[in-house]
Amino acid sequence: MSPGTRIASLAVITASCFALCADGGGVLELQPRAGDPIRELTAEQRDLFDIGRVLYSTPIPATEGMGPIFNKSNCQSCHSNPVGGWGNASVTQFGISDKGSFTMVPGESQSLLQEFGVSEFCMEIIPSAANFTAIRMTNSSMAFGMVEAVPDAAIALLEDPTDANGDGVSGRIHWVRPLEETNSSSPLRVGRFGWKAQVATVLSFSGDATRNEMGITNRLLMVENAPNGDSARLAQCDPMPEP
């Protein structure tokens, strides 16, 4: 096919796409841009969306509960392209790797390094006992509400751990309990979010990130992370009472 023929064919395809995408009145209706609200929101839902986007981007100072150790002071600092999407911010995980298994460093309360502190005294370091570190980039958190709206049963129907249909993809559900579910005998939920699908709901994801990335305790996670697991140092760095 000559270059001229290819260009002509592309023009025909493009025109056809516009014709197919246009509604009955011939007006092309484009999808909302990434990060914009969907059209089906009610006026009340749109107000909540706009309020949430402002709060998502508003830095929280230490005087209002941030810290004493943290990575960022608001959500948009990580999820920035666009608001709620991917970002170029990274976090560091550390621990002990031994023959393919991973464990936390003894005495540490978590494997996530908090890059900043309200003072130099409060800042964390990677302990010398750690022999493994990993850098993780920010994933998108857009459309999480829509993902959560998919019923667990619908996802379970697609589980294919042995690739029985031969499409080259094997999927295994990670069943987890949401942070907001306090009944230990309640059914587990399908994990949807996080690097290991370890989070089932948007509420759990938000509570976890608020405490572990911004150092803000909440009703789901009411215990503060101590700098490098040092509770004595935490008492000096975080005089504010928990909510």
Side-chain angles (χ1 to χ4, degrees), residues 3-40:
T5 303
R6 283 198 294 268
I7 293 174
S9 299
L10 180 60
V12 171
I13 293 172
T14 302
S16 299
C17 288
F18 273 89
L20 290 172
C21 293
D23 62 16
V27 178
L28 182 66
E29 187 174 2
L30 300 176
Q31 291 283 348
R33 294 183 304 172
D36 285 351
I38 60 176
R39 298 190 189 91
E40 292 79 5

Side-chain angles (χ1 to χ4, degrees), residues 139-183:
N139 285 326
S140 175
S141 62
M142 294 179 65
F144 270 19
M146 292 183 173
V147 175
E148 184 180 339
V150 178
D152 286 2
I155 298 175
L157 286 174
L158 299 176
E159 187 177 28
D160 186 15
T162 61
D163 190 21
N165 61 8
D167 65 356
V169 179
S170 59
R172 297 167 179 81
I173 290 176
H174 187 184
W175 294 96
V176 298
R177 179 164 285 108
L179 292 175
E180 61 269 25
E181 182 53 73
T182 58
N183 184 356

Side-chain angles (χ1 to χ4, degrees), residues 1 27 34 38 44 48 75 82 90 101 107 126 148 170 179 193 195 199 210 229-230 235:
M1 182 183 293
V27 178
I38 60 176
E44 181 181 5
L48 290 173
C75 302
S90 63
S101 64
I126 297 177
E148 184 180 339
S170 59
L179 292 175
F193 315 119
W195 280 77
V199 182
T210 301
D230 188 341

